[in-house]
Amino acid sequence: MSVSISDAGMKVLQNARRAGSATFWVGAGISGGWIYKQASECSVASLSFSSLLFQAKEAERGRREVGTDCFEYKVDPKLVEGVTAEDFGRAFARSSFFSLERKLATFLGTGKTRTDAELRNFKFNKGREVAITFVVYETRPETGELLWRTSDAMDGYSWMQVDAERGVFRFGSGWNAGDKWLIAFLPIHRIYSRILLKSAVKRLLLDREDSDLLSAGEDAPTQTT
């Protein structure tokens, strides 16, 4: 039995190939629920007053109402010894879910993005565009923090922090609480944030494995004939 596909249907299939395979979407849906359970919510109020996320919210006081959230994910500290905020930021930008967001934005023409190769050694200097509409606002190596600002249209920010000694990774967001559209989107955003966090940590661990394998290869004794 043959099945004919209309022109409209063919366009849908072509767009699906560009954005990602159907297999990826099925896998993402199945794994998404599991990932969601792995990342726990952390209270912004429990963060240090000196944290970038807390200060970013306080800086907006009087100008607008800002909503914030924060999630954290824990791993064995031995796996992430010596990891920095920039390591986490590079992994976050190249993670499977954020990469999909980058590709989708490029496909739709809503923003430009960097390649994975560019992001692998990206320097998070203030004012540099990371991907799509995210621009580096501040990096604090001493506290393992990194803050991105989004475009004027979104008027928000994304915050990352790594505590390598405890194996804790945090991801938080800030948004304009006066925007009704954004407020309506929050339930989905909270789920997506958890998935993004776990995806970023997974990418970071894969980077560490690749680095260890490369180092092992360089240190291996060479055979002479």
Side-chain angles (χ1 to χ4, degrees), residues 47-48 51-52 70-73 84-85 88 140 142-146 159-164 168-172 197:
L47 300 176
S48 168
S51 76
L52 283 175
C70 175
F71 302 94
E72 65 178 33
Y73 183 79
T84 67
F88 187 30
R140 289 184 181 172
E142 67 275 13
T143 56
E145 293 181 274
L146 178 63
W159 168 82
M160 281 157 271
Q161 182 182 42
V162 54
D163 182 349
V168 177
F169 294 85
R170 298 188 180 94
F171 173 60
L197 174 57

Side-chain angles (χ1 to χ4, degrees), residues 165-184:
E165 291 187 359
R166 297 176 55 230
V168 177
F169 294 85
R170 298 188 180 94
F171 173 60
S173 301
W175 59 86
N176 185 352
D179 189 317
K180 294 181 179 179
W181 183 89
L182 286 176
I183 297 303

Side-chain angles (χ1 to χ4, degrees), residues 36 181-194:
Y36 175 83
W181 183 89
L182 286 176
I183 297 303
F185 180 71
L186 284 183
I188 297 176
H189 164 76
R190 294 183 188 280
I191 296 175
Y192 185 56
S193 291
R194 292 172 186 254

Side-chain angles (χ1 to χ4, degrees), residues 124-143:
F124 289 88
N125 299 324
K126 186 171 183 176
R128 291 195 71 190
E129 186 177 71
V130 182
I132 317 173
T133 59
F134 292 94
V135 177
V136 179
Y137 182 76
E138 187 174 350
T139 303
R140 289 184 181 172
E142 67 275 13
T143 56

